[in-house]
Amino acid sequence: MATEDMERRSTAEGLRPAADEGGHERLARDLRAACDGDVRFDRYTRVCYATDGSIYGAEPAGVVFPRDVADVQAAVRVASDHEVPVLPRGAGSSLAGQAVGPGCVVLDCSRHLDAILEVDPEARTARVQPGVVQDDLDDHLAEWGLKFAPDPASANRATIGGGIGNNSTGAHSVRYGITDASVDELRVVLSNGELIHTREVVLDGEEYEDIVSRDTREAAIYETVRGLVEDHEDEIEARYPNLKRRVTGYNLDRVIYETDDGEAVINLSKLLVGAEGTLGVVVEATVSLVSNPEETALALYAFEDLLEALEAVPEALEFPVSAVELMDEEVFRLASESDGYAEYADPIPGGAAAALMLEWDDELVSGDDQRAAFESAVADTTAHFVANGDAFDVLEAYEEADQERLWKLRKAAIPLLMSLEGDPKPYPFIEDATVPPAELAEYVSAFEEILEAHDTSAAYFAHAGSGTLHIRPILNLKEEGGVEAMRSIADDVTDLVLEHHGSFSGEHGDGMARTEFTPKMYGEELWGAFKRVKTAFDPDWLLHPGNVVYRDGPDDPGPDSPRGVGADMREHLRYGPDYYSLEPRTTLEFDDEGGFSHLVELCNGCGTCRQTDRDVMCPTYRASEEEITTTRGRANLLRAAVSGDLPPEELYTEEFQRRVLDLCIGCKGCQSDCPTGVDLAKLKAEVKHQYHDREGISARERLFANVDRLAALGSRLAPLSNYGPRLPGSRRLLERTLGIAPERSLPSFAGESLVSWYDERGPRVNPATAIDRVVLYPDTYTNYTDPDPGKAAVAVLEAADVHVEIPSLGPTGRAAYSQGLLDVAADRATALLDDLESHLERGRSVLFLEPSDASMVVDEYGSLLSDSRVETLAANAVGVCAYLDWNRVVDSLAFDADVTLAYHGHCHQKALGRDHHAVTVLRQAGYAVDPLESGCCGMAGSFGYEADHYDLSRAIGRLLLEQLDESAGEAVVAPGASCRTQVGDFAGYDRPHHPIEALAAALE
């Protein structure tokens, strides 16, 4: 996305905050003078950056969005002059609190420092900036068949810089190791603004002597680090565990090593990896790459007992596998109960208490017939684990789609666990401790005893092949007892880990959760060495203080804040004993979510809404790259308001509506894509309703809420009504009076409505002999603006001998609901139920052409109305293509279709899991269909018509156009009227048709 274009949109959209320096006026002023990048110290920004994916939360002083390395240097120098700590941050998906910095200046390097600078395919290296999202890098590297080896579950939003800070890894560490093995060189800004280049330097060589001869901090760092490694060689050998994954403390064991040529080198890059931003700010990285296997195979082995599965892990590692993952029955249960993940849990064999998932790739297992080679390898493990072992079943996956489903289930485990109802949650604080795989079963058995002693339980999953299990005890941290239990469990588990020669962290780092235990793992001698490392790099301890190392007393260097002397995992909890929330009185029903506040609190900060791939959530973030436009950002601000961090009245201010809620386009993507199900569209509707009750309704909101009446009038007056917008000056008048974008094409009205057409035409199928009788709902757009999809639906249904009725029905209330006018929406919903009651009593299905109306009656009515008829309507309401698919209607018809179609599904259908039906029936009719992996088109009903949202709407739409440009489709079909309008408004594209029109056109 072009930077200048985004800056223009941000200003137009009202994303810029009001000035609010939070007590740091001089600091903010000096940063703005020194940096070209944006500097934000307003309260909303501080709240948005107060959390990450962990249990912690604390407001920073402010946020800087550096544009280049010079900005990073300037920001660090200014903060140092003001004696304010600095925290570099990527996507904020950290699970141990590494991206939380109380009182810090946050450097958000994900906005502008996100370039892939160079790829050398022959050397298998890439040079990148820290803000590059890992999946984006891998997509770029696919051209050469390469990838960056570490593969955390958060790779679709996590940045390379964040991965370097945490020393991240993923499922394939069995084969590739962790991030420190893949980082060759770094460019790093020190706390004095000095820029250094770390790489392999031959000890006592000419380059080394040149570096240490200078009067620079870099020279002091090299001499200090070398001296510490040499002086503590025996202690390093004794204290550092021999594991594939160890990310606790500083990497003194890896900074000096021998190259393949036998030369002894020092590479400070290895020390900076995993340092969590406490030693310097990474501004560039040269990383090594591995070949990306072209083909893989998966086998999931089901066990009736967790310990039996763990005992099988060392045996699994004897086979040529690239990954060995574990999931337990709790993960399966939560997935099966989740709308977004139930389909992935369906294939899991019943009775599985745990499952081991093994992967092979075509570099480890190969043959002339690759499929046969994989099947042979799987047969070997199946014979071992099923025929001769404790596993009772196996699930094999050779096709990419089948494997992706299993991986999605595995990667969803962490956020799924956080969706548990109620305040007790499975919290991360010791969940990635690592022990040798051969000791896993014994370790887990003892871990369960610790849990039992604290009267709690946990789920078990993750990277069994590396000895890393994510074990999350279920606790209520809103109670003092829960917090103390957490501290006690952590103390006991760290003792247990040491007994098993393990590491307190094998993936998620130290952060706020584990730093206090580092001295226990390494002993006083190495703890003192760690503090000397910190002081050499950062003499004033201003880079992310309190993480990895902490002050033992007032004589240690560093600030008295933000974490003071010592590091206590109980400090700065997002939900602690002092936390409270106000439960507002609501118009919508929130009982299923545990209340309004609990729905807000479901956001665990994992940052899935920042993903850059092609799922639905979150379209406004993809287009704006603003944290406040993510579901996480909005949820954080809502939580701040209901918990008292912001004044409760803040919810009802014009600024909160403009900056936080108005840019949520109600796509419902968070309902399906957010693993914990934070339904922001519902929260927005409730808060906007309360805002309208207090402040009134604008003319534009009233107009769009009553668009059905406008459309009915326009249809009656057509064609005269269609000339109005063409009159000179009319578009500018609409912009000035109603805020409607003059660039946007306005709908024209049909002189004959769909209902009128059908009344005059009449049904063509005898109801007495029809195979079924249905009601086709005449939504506002189809009825008054574009009746052709309705006529096409009648043609297809009648061709299949279905009797169709199209009664005159009012709106579903969707338009009013989207504007937050819940009373109006409820009145219209009740009226529609009244009109449909007789049809429902006779067992009629109600077919919908417009997905947003279908989702309104299926999903929103349950919260909007207390009416027994709602459930009946929801059970009988179905999209027209879903009806054709479920009833196999297309099988009875003859089609002549020879066109390739690009299909863009509606985001509401995707949220409800009903996006695939149109593709199925189009293919049954003979069409070749390319279903786009697209999110919201950006039109979102009235959103794209509004002048202050027009630029953002178009920016979201351009993401869809990129996929249309890549598609082989000769024509585009889309069920949503808004989607068809959005695509048709882009130059070079014809207005798409509804899928039912394509079916009707192909009828023989």
Side-chain angles (χ1 to χ4, degrees), residues 614 900-904 928-933 960-973 989:
R614 296 184 174 184
T900 299
L901 300 176
Y903 171 74
H904 165 65
V929 184
D930 177 18
L932 306 178
E933 296 179 11
L960 166 60
L961 289 193
E962 291 174 6
Q963 295 186 49
L964 289 176
D965 289 342
E966 296 169 2
S967 174
E970 301 165 70
V972 183
V973 291
Y989 281 91

Side-chain angles (χ1 to χ4, degrees), residues 671-901:
Q671 187 176 344
S672 59
D673 285 6
C674 173
T676 56
V678 180
D679 189 346
L680 217 292
K682 183 176 181 178
L683 292 166
K684 171 190 174 179
E686 179 63 47
V687 176
K688 286 193 72 68
H689 171 73
Q690 296 186 27
Y691 174 74
H692 291 320
D693 277 353
R694 293 166 180 247
E695 304 297 332
I697 305 166
S698 71
R700 185 175 71 187
E701 288 169 325
R702 194 178 300 277
L703 171 71
F704 283 127
N706 292 284
V707 69
D708 58 298
R709 297 178 183 176
L710 175 65
L713 178 62
S715 179
R716 285 197 296 270
L717 298 178
L720 183 62
S721 56
N722 294 325
Y723 292 122
R726 304 176 192 171
L727 297 175
S730 62
R731 304 309 301 276
R732 292 299 173 187
L733 178 63
L734 286 173
E735 181 183 21
R736 288 195 302 269
T737 57
L738 296 173
I740 295 176
E743 303 93 336
R744 183 66 75 181
S745 65
L746 295 178
S748 58
F749 301 105
E752 182 182 45
S753 70
L754 176 65
V755 170
S756 298
W757 169 81
Y758 195 75
D759 283 347
E760 182 175 340
R761 171 189 180 275
R764 302 289 171 86
V765 173
N766 186 340
T769 60
I771 64 168
D772 196 12
R773 299 179 65 178
V774 301
V775 172
L776 182 65
Y777 176 72
D779 63 85
T780 298
Y781 193 86
T782 304
N783 196 24
Y784 298 118
T785 296
D786 186 14
D788 287 346
K791 296 175 182 179
V794 171
V796 174
L797 291 165
E798 290 187 339
D801 207 23
V802 176
H803 177 78
V804 180
E805 300 173 64
I806 308 182
S808 180
L809 298 170
T812 61
R814 164 61 70 191
Y817 185 94
S818 297
Q819 298 297 326
L821 303 180
L822 299 183
D823 291 340
V824 176
D827 289 343
R828 291 177 182 172
T830 301
L832 181 59
L833 285 170
D834 291 341
D835 291 341
L836 285 173
E837 186 168 10
S838 62
H839 298 284
L840 294 173
E841 288 175 348
R842 294 195 297 271
R844 304 284 188 266
S845 294
V846 182
L847 309 190
F848 289 83
L849 290 155
E850 176 53 48
S852 62
D853 282 309
S855 68
M856 182 70 185
V857 302
V858 169
D859 203 31
E860 273 79 20
Y861 274 17
S863 299
L864 185 65
L865 299 176
S866 179
D867 190 319
S868 60
R869 298 174 298 176
V870 168
E871 188 174 346
T872 303
L873 175 56
N876 289 277
V878 60
V880 64
C881 289
Y883 175 86
L884 298 176
D885 185 14
W886 287 340
N887 293 282
R888 306 295 298 178
V889 170
V890 174
D891 292 348
S892 65
L893 302 175
F895 293 91
D896 181 14
D898 58 358
V899 177
T900 299
L901 300 176

Side-chain angles (χ1 to χ4, degrees), residues 556-748:
D556 277 349
D560 290 333
S561 62
R563 297 185 72 188
V565 175
D568 190 330
M569 69 179 301
R570 294 165 292 191
E571 295 178 346
H572 301 297
L573 294 173
R574 192 191 314 187
Y575 303 113
D578 296 332
Y579 177 87
Y580 74 97
S581 61
L582 301 173
E583 183 62 32
R585 184 174 299 172
T586 61
T587 297
L588 293 174
E589 183 67 68
F590 285 89
D591 287 352
D592 289 345
E593 296 87 356
F596 179 96
S597 296
H598 187 263
L599 179 56
V600 171
E601 292 168 5
L602 279 179
C603 176
N604 61 21
C606 67
T608 307
C609 41
R610 286 178 60 108
Q611 62 191 357
T612 58
D613 56 20
R614 296 184 174 184
D615 285 336
V616 183
M617 187 177 72
C618 183
T620 49
Y621 172 74
R622 288 188 186 133
S624 69
E625 298 179 352
E626 293 273 359
E627 176 71 22
I628 201 171
T629 64
T630 64
T631 302
R632 177 175 70 180
R634 295 179 179 117
N636 274 334
L637 285 159
L638 285 167
R639 179 173 48 80
V642 299
S643 67
D645 283 346
L646 290 173
E649 291 299 308
E650 189 74 23
L651 284 174
Y652 313 114
T653 63
E654 189 276 335
E655 184 180 14
F656 197 94
Q657 301 297 311
R658 175 177 58 85
R659 291 185 60 198
V660 181
L661 297 182
D662 282 354
L663 297 183
C664 168
I665 57 179
C667 70
K668 297 170 71 74
C670 48
Q671 187 176 344
S672 59
D673 285 6
C674 173
T676 56
V678 180
D679 189 346
L680 217 292
K682 183 176 181 178
L683 292 166
K684 171 190 174 179
E686 179 63 47
V687 176
K688 286 193 72 68
H689 171 73
Q690 296 186 27
Y691 174 74
H692 291 320
D693 277 353
R694 293 166 180 247
E695 304 297 332
I697 305 166
S698 71
R700 185 175 71 187
E701 288 169 325
R702 194 178 300 277
L703 171 71
F704 283 127
N706 292 284
V707 69
D708 58 298
R709 297 178 183 176
L710 175 65
L713 178 62
S715 179
R716 285 197 296 270
L717 298 178
L720 183 62
S721 56
N722 294 325
Y723 292 122
R726 304 176 192 171
L727 297 175
S730 62
R731 304 309 301 276
R732 292 299 173 187
L733 178 63
L734 286 173
E735 181 183 21
R736 288 195 302 269
T737 57
L738 296 173
I740 295 176
E743 303 93 336
R744 183 66 75 181
S745 65
L746 295 178
S748 58

